[in-house]
Amino acid sequence: MGIGKLTWLQELMYDVREKVSNNDPECNDGIEELANLNFLEMLSITNLQNVNDPVDAERANLKGKQNLYQLELYWQCGETEEDLSKRWWDEKSCNFQVFEALQPPSSLTYLQIQKFMGRELPAWMCDPSGSLVNLEHLVLQNCKGMKQLPAAIRELPRLWRLELEGMSMRSLNIGGFPSLTRLDLTDMLALEELRDSHPSCLRDLNINGCKSLREIPALPRLMSLVLEKVSNNLVSSVGRSQTSLTQLFLENIEELIYFPLSILVNNCNLRILQVETCNQFEGFAINDDENESVAPLLAPEHYSGFQNLELIGCPVLKFLPDLRGWTSLERLVIFNCPQVEESLTYDLKSISFLKLLFVDYIQEREQQRGYPLLYTDLISLVDY
């Protein structure tokens, strides 16, 4: 109480308390306290379910805060189907009307919404030329009631980054965004399909925990791809759909046994590859279905552009290509992959063109020369 007197405040994290019963019309002890804070640049509001009257939200006067560029709105509500079926979240509900009343100014560049359970977004989020005309970064987290992304979001002219986490969408159209270059999808457990209805300018794609997703569409400008806790089918699809990748990061993919050769063949510009914490990953090999034998990949033409190879925390890794033919390779990191040493037929230290070599078993033998013993130590020595 009394926060409204700090009229020159620029940054505020505001927690909405449960409304105290008070008949005094002059007593502002809720979200309406924000009314006169017109110099705010960054505002985070939590526990919005405690706002019982949309008029109070309107009195907060977010639209009048012309310096505001970052806004975060958080509800704390249940996520069960019973919760979603209640009228708390339809267009006549208090929660929806509160959200509608929290319309920001057109100066906004960052917006984060968490646990709003409505099936629809307020009108000000569905007008590409309105309050979000300058929005650059949008985050939607655990908004379970939303089954599809509103078409208006894809029309925002300056939106370059979109983050979706814990949403209930089964299909997502990532085409049509005029400026979107980065997309982050996290724990989208129901997501089965990514569609690209129009040519996409997407350059960075991060997918984490979306295990129902099996295919990545062809994204002609995609350069960096991060896959974590996904199916092996999704990894394999990269070799069928992408041709422009320069960076690929695979982490914690339990089903991954062999790195798909098609990724290397179809992405001749691949420069950086990292495989981390893949417990079944045996390495770079071709699986011969006829005799079930496994042969290491040795052909250097598939790796002609490689500059950085990192293999970390893969306990059964044993099949490596002959790195002596990777003449473009500048940086090699092998950490916590205990079977690599026994499977190699040559000394990695003999690769003279490397600018940086970190292999834990080599460093341990030569620690008296000052090599770092931990991978975290190495990171601090290297300027990416």
Side-chain angles (χ1 to χ4, degrees):
M1 190 177 299
I3 196 74
K5 296 180 180 180
L6 304 178
T7 54
W8 291 94
L9 204 62
Q10 293 179 321
E11 299 182 17
L12 175 63
M13 297 179 64
Y14 185 84
D15 182 35
V16 181
R17 296 158 296 162
E18 291 190 51
K19 189 76 170 180
V20 177
S21 178
N22 195 321
N23 296 324
D24 184 357
E26 300 298 324
C27 180
N28 294 332
D29 63 351
I31 195 173
E32 61 270 29
E33 287 185 288
L34 307 181
N36 296 322
L37 304 184
N38 291 328
F39 289 92
L40 282 174
E41 297 178 359
M42 302 169 63
L43 174 61
S44 175
I45 308 177
T46 60
N47 285 317
L48 278 164
Q49 74 282 354
N50 290 334
V51 181
N52 297 318
D53 190 341
V55 174
D56 292 340
E58 188 173 357
R59 286 174 179 166
N61 189 31
L62 265 57
K63 190 175 183 180
K65 305 182 193 316
Q66 296 302 315
N67 295 317
L68 191 66
Y69 70 88
Q70 179 172 316
L71 177 63
E72 300 172 356
L73 302 175
Y74 302 121
W75 282 261
Q76 289 292 336
C77 299
E79 301 179 15
T80 66
E81 288 298 324
E82 180 182 359
D83 293 325
L84 297 180
S85 66
K86 292 180 179 178
R87 285 177 55 95
W88 301 341
W89 300 108
D90 65 23
E91 293 183 0
K92 297 180 181 179
S93 72
C94 178
N95 277 295
F96 187 89
Q97 293 178 39
V98 165
F99 197 0
E100 188 74 72
L102 293 173
Q103 180 175 353
S106 59
S107 57
L108 206 68
T109 61
Y110 175 90
L111 175 62
Q112 181 172 352
I113 307 296
Q114 186 177 95
K115 287 193 175 182
F116 176 73
M117 297 297 173
R119 294 175 175 81
E120 305 293 335
L121 291 174
W124 57 264
M125 286 193 69
C126 298
D127 180 5
S129 60
S131 292
L132 302 185
V133 66
N134 290 306
L135 193 70
E136 299 177 357
H137 187 173
L138 174 63
V139 182
L140 299 175
Q141 294 178 310
N142 295 301
C143 301
K144 301 290 187 180
M146 196 180 307
K147 301 302 182 181
Q148 59 183 2
L149 197 66
I153 300 297
R154 298 203 304 273
E155 299 174 13
L156 295 175
R158 297 190 179 184
L159 185 69
W160 69 268
R161 183 173 181 182
L162 175 63
E163 296 183 55
L164 302 176
E165 179 178 348
M167 308 291 280
S168 300
M169 303 166 185
R170 293 185 178 275
S171 178
L172 178 63
N173 185 357
I174 59 176
F177 292 89
S179 303
L180 191 70
T181 57
R182 175 164 177 171
L183 175 63
D184 297 81
L185 303 174
T186 303
D187 294 333
M188 305 273 284
L189 302 181
L191 186 63
E192 298 176 352
E193 179 188 34
L194 281 182
R195 295 183 292 114
D196 185 21
S197 59
H198 300 284
S200 172
C201 54
L202 203 64
R203 291 185 303 181
D204 299 276
L205 176 60
N206 297 337
I207 302 177
N208 183 347
C210 305
K211 293 195 173 182
S212 297
L213 192 60
R214 294 290 185 267
E215 190 83 21
I216 297 176
L219 301 169
R221 298 185 183 181
L222 191 66
M223 299 179 66
S224 177
L225 177 62
V226 179
L227 300 178
E228 182 176 356
K229 296 180 183 178
V230 298
S231 71
N232 191 45
N233 288 336
L234 191 67
V235 178
S236 298
S237 77
V238 176
R240 296 191 296 270
S241 59
Q242 306 309 319
T243 60
S244 57
L245 284 180
T246 61
Q247 303 179 47
L248 177 61
F249 303 88
L250 306 177
E251 184 174 352
N252 210 347
I253 302 174
E254 287 297 326
E255 300 173 355
L256 182 66
I257 299 178
Y258 300 118
F259 187 84
L261 174 62
S262 58
I263 294 179
L264 301 172
V265 172
N266 294 329
N267 291 275
C268 59
N269 294 319
L270 197 61
R271 299 291 180 263
I272 298 174
L273 173 63
Q274 178 177 302
V275 182
E276 181 173 356
T277 321
C278 294
N279 293 329
Q280 305 301 318
F281 181 57
E282 295 188 16
F284 299 76
I286 300 174
N287 191 6
D288 187 342
D289 294 332
E290 293 184 2
N291 55 23
E292 296 184 354
S293 65
V294 177
L297 277 175
L298 299 176
E301 60 267 19
H302 297 313
Y303 317 94
S304 59
F306 258 95
Q307 297 176 351
N308 187 341
L309 177 62
E310 299 187 18
L311 306 168
I312 304 166
C314 300
V316 298
L317 173 65
K318 55 187 175 182
F319 294 112
L320 290 183
D322 191 342
L323 298 176
R324 293 170 296 183
W326 294 29
T327 55
S328 62
L329 192 64
E330 298 179 356
R331 173 188 168 102
L332 175 63
V333 175
I334 301 178
F335 184 81
N336 198 18
C337 302
Q339 296 193 30
V340 167
E341 183 178 10
E342 296 180 2
S343 63
L344 282 175
T345 59
Y346 59 93
D347 187 356
L348 291 174
K349 293 195 320 183
S350 68
I351 306 177
S352 59
F353 47 80
L354 285 174
K355 295 181 179 179
L356 186 149
L357 173 66
F358 180 82
V359 180
D360 52 1
Y361 65 81
I362 294 178
Q363 314 304 93
E364 289 170 3
R365 288 200 301 261
E366 301 186 1
Q367 57 182 304
Q368 68 276 12
R369 298 176 58 186
Y371 286 99
L373 290 180
L374 298 175
Y375 181 68
T376 51
D377 294 333
L378 172 72
I379 294 300
S380 65
L381 299 177
V382 177
D383 183 5
Y384 277 98

